[in-house]
Amino acid sequence: MSHSPASPYVLVPEYALLESLPKHQQQRFAKAIDIMHYQLYDSLTWEQIAEKAAISPFHFHRQFTEIFHETPGRYLSRLRLQIAVDGLVDSSKSVTQIAHEAGFSSSQPWRKL
């Protein structure tokens, strides 16, 4: 599946927040953010993203929360919802198809919204 986020989500200001980290950590966290934004449709968990970026899940969660003031799970859910809302507004696709493209396993989580 070759889904890429809509243009408003391509520019990620979060990279600027990484400047306080040592260079090697900047690179790893930047890779994690890239995965979150550009591989959203893979439905990866934040733990899997941390491992793909060569960061321990514990360290990733702690430092991500400290830097971005939200947990990686909350950030990923918010990002998925942004993509889904954009898809619902600008698409004739089904809700289930949009949910899958945004990285949700089904449209069921939206029933709680």
Side-chain angles (χ1 to χ4, degrees):
M1 182 192 247
S2 62
H3 175 72
S4 60
S7 58
Y9 311 114
V10 173
L11 298 174
V12 183
E14 286 84 347
Y15 295 116
L17 296 174
L18 301 177
E19 292 176 1
S20 65
L21 298 174
K23 196 69 165 168
H24 73 282
Q25 286 183 335
Q26 284 181 27
Q27 292 170 341
R28 290 178 181 172
F29 273 82
K31 181 175 181 177
I33 291 169
D34 284 347
I35 292 168
M36 287 177 161
H37 282 260
Y38 299 110
Q39 295 180 9
L40 197 61
Y41 56 87
D42 288 340
S43 301
L44 297 172
T45 65
W46 67 266
E47 293 95 344
Q48 292 168 319
I49 291 167
E51 290 173 5
K52 284 181 168 275
I55 308 169
S56 80
F58 173 79
H59 179 71
F60 180 69
H61 189 279
R62 182 183 59 77
Q63 198 150 21
F64 190 99
T65 303
E66 184 178 308
I67 293 168
F68 299 113
H69 302 286
E70 70 180 321
T71 66
R74 170 74 90 184
Y75 179 89
L76 199 52
S77 292
R78 185 172 50 81
L79 179 61
R80 286 181 173 143
L81 282 173
Q82 287 174 334
I83 297 297
V85 167
D86 185 55
L88 289 169
V89 170
D90 295 333
S91 178
S92 60
K93 297 175 184 175
S94 73
V95 172
T96 302
Q97 187 176 8
I98 292 168
H100 287 286
E101 289 178 359
F104 292 102
S105 59
S106 73
S107 61
Q108 296 304 312
W110 297 357
R111 291 185 180 206
K112 296 177 183 178
L113 298 179

